């Protein structure tokens, strides 16, 4: 069996050690005589798993008891709808920053069910940068400020987060666990699991408990954060398999030194690619330097007619998922926590070779 | 490794052959060099998987092209909210039949967002039967009639479905694939996957396409059936692992003779238990005979003080998940498709032995 170098944007590479552990326990979890998928979500065995996933997230991100950690379904896309439905009270508005495709999807859902204002948009600049602090001014009637902390498609990220008086809400789907975060500066953090946390079909929501006081009793029960907080994410059957995988990923991140260690590894991996791109005229970065993502590195070939060939030859050489998102084209390497330094080094060597042959 | 006899209500037993296949492909799906969890949901490999799951469901249930088959997240519980939001237009109502815990949860969500009427309730009879046809009369302003075709907790099921002029909607979570169904008699069928279809974290929705004409443009995009129908369930990242498992389960059901063959197997398994319960005064069924579920067999011991001991000794002997739902108590054996005849025979032998010792 030859494992490929997987640079997909999500679902994406998972730690081999986690996959091997899940494989070994597939028919019999810890002597239970059952697969984790066969366990009742009300069983003691599963309670230990969900507790383990929650405590892992709390330890790795330093989440205090002022916050609830929820395991929900529907990915970040359902959160785009749930956030305004839960946290924007009648007659109030919400502020959004439009840094790319994901942020603008969040705006779209917010506008469907009430008032929402886009404070700043990078659309005219092809989403090539994050705004400076002085470019943002929250609205007087805004219930929260929503940002996407890392844009998977544009390859940009907030290096520093805005200081706000209203609760700051961040979609961290494509960068959670890639750097330490001061959770206390946020009202709500959410992340689809399928990049740095585990498989798809799960969203992790970290919500300041007092914000749940805003939730209307006329909202569908299932769409209320309070429903899931009060039941320990067991109001209905959760995605038990994905929660189990998140627990294993948390253990793997901790054994690798925690989030701070992965921040260093990410910086090292990203530098290998950005240095190569900056050194030669053959490659070109469309992203402002200060806004560059360390999870999703996007670039172009100066000769764009060579891009299809690059992607094709890379795939033949075992490098998967390098095609830029269909909305922007170009090349993208997603280098999440599970992508090894060796994979990035191999990609860099391949790129140098391609440049030699085509430069 | 000793696998247990798993009678859990859901998540529940899965076919061993399916688990073994998933285990063998865990690190490398069909020579891709990736786990199925690592595949992009936009990849050709994953498209083949979701196409396979959809065509499997279509073949097994005879679903025509008049219907869309959707793979959604949030389980049946999100459907309780989505159905009225999508299919009950302003100023209109919806009819519900309250046959138990699940049906009444659906009612609760429907009433939160508009008008809904309960045509019939079995609550006063402890949900021990399904209504007769003559007990149901749809309301003139009802947009649909909602039923739960099998109640997991009460252990009752609709043997025949009501004839309606308005669309009939059925929650088939705990019995889908257990008997042939004339899909054309329904407007919408939905099922959480975690009983007869696969792991938790996925709901399958089979919806008559013309009904999507009712959907309001002011509903959050993510909550519209049309959003998911138009994108082949790939509007956002779906639960790729669960869809893969559903595909494997479909192949397993087909190799076992299809739904009609499993209907026979279920009847045989259920008869073993019901015959024993009916034969002796030691056991007692709280359910009307004509309404008995063949998926969830519930019973009591005439001496209820023996029930805890029965459950405890059964567990020690390798029979898992026999405790009745906390809301009703008693004993429950869920005998979904993946529960083997051998497991049921072993349980019956254990029951006879318990009766001999305690009768």
């Amino acid at each position: 069996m030859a494992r490929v170098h997987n640079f997909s944007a999500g679902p994406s590479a998972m730690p081999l050690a986690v996959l091997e552990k899940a494989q070994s326990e597939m028919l019999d979890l810890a002597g239970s005589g059952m697969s984790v998928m066969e366990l009742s979500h009300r069983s003691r065995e599963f309670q230990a798993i969900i507790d383990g996933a929650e405590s892992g997230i709390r330890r790795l991100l330093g989440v205090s008891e002022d916050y609830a950690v929820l395991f929900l379904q529907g990915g970040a896309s359902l959160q785009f709808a749930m956030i305004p439905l839960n946290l924007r009270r009648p007659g109030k508005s919400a502020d959004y920053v439009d840094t790319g495709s994901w942020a603008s999807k969040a705006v779209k859902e917010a506008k469907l069910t009430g008032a929402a204002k886009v404070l700043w948009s990078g659309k005219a600049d092809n989403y090539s940068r994050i705004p400076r602090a002085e470019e943002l001014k929250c609205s007087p009637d805004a219930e929260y400020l929503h940002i996407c902390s890392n844009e998977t498609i544009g390859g940009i990220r907030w290096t520093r987060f805005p200081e706000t008086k209203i609760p700051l809400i961040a979609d961290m789907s494509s960068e959670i666990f890639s750097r330490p975060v001061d959770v206390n500066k946020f009202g709500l953090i959410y992340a689809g699991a399928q990049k740095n946390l585990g498989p798809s079909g799960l969203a992790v929501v970290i919500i300041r408990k007092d914000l749940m006081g805003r939730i209307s009793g006329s909202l569908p029960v299932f769409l209320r954060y309070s429903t899931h907080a009060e039941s320990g994410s067991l109001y209905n059957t959760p995605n038990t398999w994905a929660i189990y995988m998140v627990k294993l990923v948390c253990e793997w991140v901790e054994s690798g030194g925690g989030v701070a260690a992965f921040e260093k590894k990410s910086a090292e991996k990203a530098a290998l690619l950005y240095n190569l791109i900056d050194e030669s005229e053959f490659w070109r970065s469309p992203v402002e330097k200060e806004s560059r993502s360390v999870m999703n590195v996007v670039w172009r070939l100066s000769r764009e007619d060579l891009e299809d060939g690059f992607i094709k030859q890379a795939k033949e050489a075992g490098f998967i998922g390098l095609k830029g998102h269909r909305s922007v084209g170009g090349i993208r390497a997603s280098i999440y926590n599970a992508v090894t330094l060796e994979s990035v080094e191999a990609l860099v060597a391949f790129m140098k070779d391609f440049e030699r042959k085509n430069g």
Side-chain angles (χ1 to χ4, degrees), chain A residues 89-348:
Chain A
R89 285 162 291 197
K92 295 282 204 161
S93 184
D95 283 341
Y96 282 77
V97 183
D98 175 21
T99 47
S101 177
W102 297 110
S104 65
K105 278 194 166 183
V107 172
K108 189 178 175 187
E109 290 287 28
K111 286 190 170 172
L112 272 170
T113 54
K117 188 180 171 188
V118 175
L119 294 188
W120 183 92
S121 173
K123 193 172 184 182
D125 294 327
N126 288 322
Y127 296 124
S128 57
R129 71 175 181 94
I130 295 294
R132 335 253 171 255
E134 62 270 22
E135 290 176 288
L136 298 178
K137 193 164 180 299
C138 288
S139 313
D141 61 343
E143 291 271 68
Y144 57 80
L145 171 65
H146 179 281
I147 64 169
C148 176
S149 71
N150 183 82
E151 287 280 358
T152 325
I153 294 175
I156 57 177
R157 72 152 176 173
W158 293 75
T159 309
R160 280 195 207 89
F161 295 111
E163 300 284 336
T164 57
K165 282 177 189 159
I166 54 177
L168 179 61
I169 294 181
D171 175 359
M172 294 196 179
S173 296
S174 53
E175 69 140 8
I176 195 164
F177 283 5
S178 74
R179 55 172 159 167
V181 165
D182 183 356
V183 173
N184 294 314
K185 296 210 163 171
F186 294 83
L188 189 154
I189 290 170
Y190 64 105
Q194 70 274 11
K195 295 152 197 291
N196 260 345
L197 292 176
S200 62
L202 183 76
V204 170
V205 173
I206 302 169
I207 180 172
R208 219 175 66 207
K209 289 174 182 169
D210 66 290
L211 292 177
M212 290 189 274
R214 297 183 180 185
I215 299 169
S216 161
S218 65
L219 193 63
V221 177
F222 188 82
L223 296 180
R224 300 176 200 166
Y225 290 120
S226 46
T227 297
H228 303 284
E230 286 158 13
S231 59
S233 300
L234 296 172
Y235 170 71
N236 68 326
T237 318
N239 184 339
T240 57
W241 172 257
I243 292 169
Y244 161 73
M245 293 299 287
V246 168
K247 174 177 174 280
L248 296 186
V249 168
C250 285
E251 290 166 357
W252 175 80
V253 172
E254 288 193 281
S255 74
V259 169
F262 278 91
E263 183 181 33
K264 279 188 198 158
K265 292 179 200 185
S266 294
E268 190 182 356
K269 289 186 287 180
L272 282 177
L273 285 165
Y274 284 123
N275 288 345
L276 176 63
I277 293 163
D278 290 341
E279 274 165 14
S280 156
E281 296 288 314
F282 189 76
W283 317 97
R284 177 171 70 78
S285 166
V287 174
E288 183 198 64
K289 273 195 180 176
E290 304 78 62
S291 300
R292 283 177 175 177
S293 170
V294 295
M295 291 283 106
N296 310 100
V297 181
V298 303
W299 72 92
R300 307 296 307 231
L301 274 69
S302 295
R303 281 186 55 197
E304 291 184 8
D305 61 302
L306 290 176
E307 287 177 349
D308 284 350
F310 174 79
I311 292 161
K312 188 165 171 283
Q313 289 176 40
K315 191 168 181 184
E316 286 162 6
F319 301 96
I320 301 296
L322 287 172
K323 196 175 162 77
H325 190 268
R326 58 211 151 101
S327 62
V328 295
I331 319 290
R332 171 177 57 179
S334 296
I335 49 173
Y336 300 121
N337 286 350
V339 176
T340 61
L341 180 63
E342 290 68 34
S343 279
V344 179
E345 287 170 340
L347 174 61
V348 166

Side-chain angles (χ1 to χ4, degrees), chain A residues 47-60:
Chain A
Q47 190 63 53
I49 289 170
I50 194 169
D51 288 346
E54 177 177 337
S55 62
I57 291 169
R58 285 190 184 276
R59 274 195 309 276
L60 284 164

